Amino acid sequence: MRSFRQSAAPVDEENPYWVSFSDVMAALVVIFILASLVLLMQLVELKQDVSDKIKDLEIAEKVRKTIVEDIARELEEKSIKVQVAENHSIIRIPNDVLGFRSGEFGIDSQYQETARTIGEVMARVVKKDNRTDYLDTIFLEGHTDNRPFWGAPGKGNWGLSTFRAISLWEYWREAIDENIALYNLKNNEGQPLFSVSGYADTRPVTEVQNEESDYELNRRIDIRITIRRPDATDYEKVKSTFGEADAASQN
C-alpha cells in the first residue's frame, strides 16, 4: 500500500520575510495603541488640571469681589464713602476723604482718624476666612491732577503721587494696632501682601481739568487688589502636553 506524506512547506515559502514583517507590524500597532493610551491619560490629567486652575481663578475672583464689597459696605456704615470699580478690583478713596492739597502728600491731622479707620476695616476684612490665600498683591496707588509739580519730594508728579501712597502706608504702620497690622500680612508665597505705586496724572478720573473740583477728583488713592493666577510653569505644562499631542497626531 502506497502512503502519501503531506508537504510541510510553509504557505509563504516564496516570501520568507512575510512572517517577520507581520510581527513587526503587529508590534507597531501595539506600540501605537499604548502610546495613544498614554497620551489620552495625559490629556485627561491635563483637562482636570486646567479645570482645577479655572475653578481656583473663579474662587479667587469671588473672594476679591467679596473683599471689595465688604470694605465699601463697612466704610459706608461709618460714613466714609468710597467708590468701587465695575470689575470689583479697585476701591477708590476720593480726595475729600484724605484731603490731599495740591502739591502735598501728607495725611493732615483732620483726616488721620478717617485714614486709620480705612486701614483697620481693610485689615479685618482681608484677614477674614483665609482670604489672603487667594490674593497676590494689594497696591496703594497714588494719583495727581495734571498740573505740573516740581517741588519736594522731587521727580514731579510721579514722585508726588508715589509719596501720597507711601504717606498712607506709613501712617497705617504707625497708627494701626499691631494685632491687626496690615504690614504683617503675607500672600500664599510668603511675600508681603501690600505694595505702593504712583501714576502721576496718567490715569485721571476725568480728562477735563479746568476747575478745582476737576483737579480734586484726580488727587486720590486707589486700592487695587490682584489675585493669584497660574504661573509660567502651568502654561508651559499645557503647551508641552499639547505639543506632544500634535506630534503624535502628525506621526
Side-chain angles (χ1 to χ4, degrees), residues 11-24:
V11 176
D12 58 345
E13 188 176 35
E14 295 181 358
N15 187 3
Y17 300 105
W18 175 253
V19 175
S20 298
F21 179 75
S22 299
D23 291 342
V24 171

Side-chain angles (χ1 to χ4, degrees), residues 60-61 63-65 67-68 71 88-91 122 126 131-141 169 172 182 185-197 199 222-229:
E61 291 281 4
V63 168
R64 175 168 62 182
K65 181 178 180 181
I67 289 174
V68 171
I71 291 174
H88 289 82
S89 66
I90 298 174
I91 301 170
M122 177 165 295
V126 169
R131 291 171 174 174
T132 55
D133 290 345
Y134 297 94
L135 304 182
D136 180 65
T137 309
I138 298 178
F139 292 96
L140 303 184
E141 301 177 343
W169 177 245
W172 281 349
L182 293 166
L185 295 182
K186 309 287 185 181
N187 62 19
N188 196 52
E189 296 180 355
Q191 301 169 334
L193 184 61
F194 279 81
S195 184
V196 298
S197 58
Y199 287 94
D222 286 348
I223 301 174
R224 184 184 304 273
I225 302 175
T226 63
I227 60 176
R228 292 177 54 208
R229 297 185 180 278

Side-chain angles (χ1 to χ4, degrees), residues 17-75:
Y17 300 105
W18 175 253
V19 175
S20 298
F21 179 75
S22 299
D23 291 342
V24 171
M25 290 300 296
L28 288 175
V29 170
V30 172
I31 292 173
F32 176 78
I33 293 174
L34 291 175
S36 299
L37 289 174
V38 171
L39 181 59
L40 179 61
M41 293 176 63
Q42 289 178 335
L43 290 175
V44 170
E45 291 176 359
L46 177 63
K47 180 180 179 181
Q48 183 61 47
D49 187 54
V50 171
S51 298
D52 291 342
K53 296 295 182 185
I54 293 174
K55 183 177 180 180
D56 288 343
L57 282 174
E58 291 174 346
I59 295 174
E61 291 281 4
K62 184 177 180 180
V63 168
R64 175 168 62 182
K65 181 178 180 181
T66 302
I67 289 174
V68 171
E69 291 178 345
D70 286 355
I71 291 174
R73 185 185 66 255
E74 288 196 28
L75 290 178

Side-chain angles (χ1 to χ4, degrees), residues 210-243:
N210 298 321
E211 301 179 1
E212 183 58 32
S213 58
D214 300 328
Y215 298 133
E216 288 181 355
L217 286 175
N218 291 326
R219 297 198 302 268
R220 68 191 192 278
I221 295 289
D222 286 348
I223 301 174
R224 184 184 304 273
I225 302 175
T226 63
I227 60 176
R228 292 177 54 208
R229 297 185 180 278
D231 57 24
T233 303
D234 297 317
Y235 290 116
E236 285 299 324
K237 180 179 179 182
V238 173
K239 181 180 177 181
S240 174
T241 303
F242 278 106

